[in-house]
Amino acid sequence: MPHTASPHVAPMMRSTAVSGLAWGFILFSLALMGLLALPLAPGETLAATLGVQSGSGGLTGGVAWLTEHRSGVTTLLMLGCLVTLALAIALLRRRPWARRAFVALMIAGFVGVLGGAALTPLTFGLLPDAATTEAVNAEDPVAGLVGMLGGLILVSTLFTALFAWAGWKLTTPAVRAEFEGTPVPAEG
């Protein structure tokens, strides 16, 4: 005999914020995995243009190190994308464990981005004064890196706000009840 829902039980409401968050991270993970699959890394050309090696230190040395280790970095990023994708799908399906795991992911992202932001002044401190004053000189390859770092700071600020909001939203009583399948009393 097929199972039918009791007429006295109302279906659980699915919040738009949680669905939007899950779909956003699904699309972001898929897009990032697609980008990681493309051979976009500048390779040895960038290190040669900068005229530095990975052990030389500073921002350009860091870029050279990333270029030399791009396959390992890409693999780690791909694994992160797969974990995020799996958690976002489970979040969309309203699995109770997924809410807690996604909150942990948002906390890790928040701490990671803040840690990266804390390292940014140190990175600029490692640059010679000429590199930061010449940041607007399009002829200087370091200028592009400084500009890119400034853009990354802006993006990281946006991600910090997103991670904080998502972590908070997933811990509200209404969302917790949505994942636990219990009704929440009306506010008011």
Side-chain angles (χ1 to χ4, degrees), residues 81-115:
C81 286
L82 287 172
V83 167
T84 302
L85 179 62
L87 287 177
I89 290 170
L91 189 72
L92 186 63
R93 298 180 75 195
R94 303 306 196 267
R95 302 288 188 238
W97 59 267
R99 184 188 66 80
R100 292 184 298 275
F102 213 83
V103 168
L105 181 68
M106 294 298 98
I107 290 169
F110 184 83
V111 169
V113 171
L114 281 181

Side-chain angles (χ1 to χ4, degrees), residues 29 33 36 72-86:
S29 295
M33 283 191 297
L36 289 171
V73 172
T74 300
T75 301
L76 286 175
L77 288 172
M78 192 67 81
L79 286 172
C81 286
L82 287 172
V83 167
T84 302
L85 179 62

Side-chain angles (χ1 to χ4, degrees), residues 8-92:
H8 304 295
V9 179
M12 260 329 265
M13 294 298 298
R14 296 173 72 97
S15 67
T16 306
V18 173
S19 294
L21 182 68
W23 275 112
F25 274 92
I26 288 169
L27 294 174
F28 178 75
S29 295
L30 290 173
L32 191 54
M33 283 191 297
L35 287 174
L36 289 171
L38 296 174
L40 297 176
E44 304 304 320
T45 307
L46 180 61
T49 302
L50 295 173
V52 294
Q53 296 179 358
S54 63
S56 64
L59 180 60
T60 54
V63 170
W65 183 89
L66 283 173
T67 301
E68 289 177 7
H69 297 90
R70 68 181 168 268
S71 64
V73 172
T74 300
T75 301
L76 286 175
L77 288 172
M78 192 67 81
L79 286 172
C81 286
L82 287 172
V83 167
T84 302
L85 179 62
L87 287 177
I89 290 170
L91 189 72
L92 186 63

Side-chain angles (χ1 to χ4, degrees), residues 15 21 26 33 57 59 61 92 104 112 119-120 135 138 140 149 162 164-165 170 172 181-182:
S15 67
L21 182 68
I26 288 169
M33 283 191 297
L59 180 60
L92 186 63
L119 291 175
T120 301
D140 185 8
L149 191 57
L162 172 66
W165 174 82
L170 290 171
T172 61
T182 58

Side-chain angles (χ1 to χ4, degrees), residues 95-188:
R95 302 288 188 238
W97 59 267
R99 184 188 66 80
R100 292 184 298 275
F102 213 83
V103 168
L105 181 68
M106 294 298 98
I107 290 169
F110 184 83
V111 169
V113 171
L114 281 181
L119 291 175
T120 301
L122 294 174
T123 304
F124 277 109
L126 294 174
L127 290 173
D129 289 335
T132 54
T133 57
E134 290 287 320
V136 293
N137 182 359
E139 304 288 320
D140 185 8
V142 175
L145 292 176
V146 173
M148 184 178 73
L149 191 57
L152 287 174
I153 292 169
L154 177 62
V155 170
S156 67
T157 302
L158 295 174
F159 271 116
T160 301
L162 172 66
F163 293 156
W165 174 82
W168 166 79
K169 185 65 175 173
L170 290 171
T171 59
T172 61
V175 171
R176 278 197 325 262
E178 181 179 337
F179 278 81
E180 295 165 1
T182 58
V184 115
E187 294 180 25

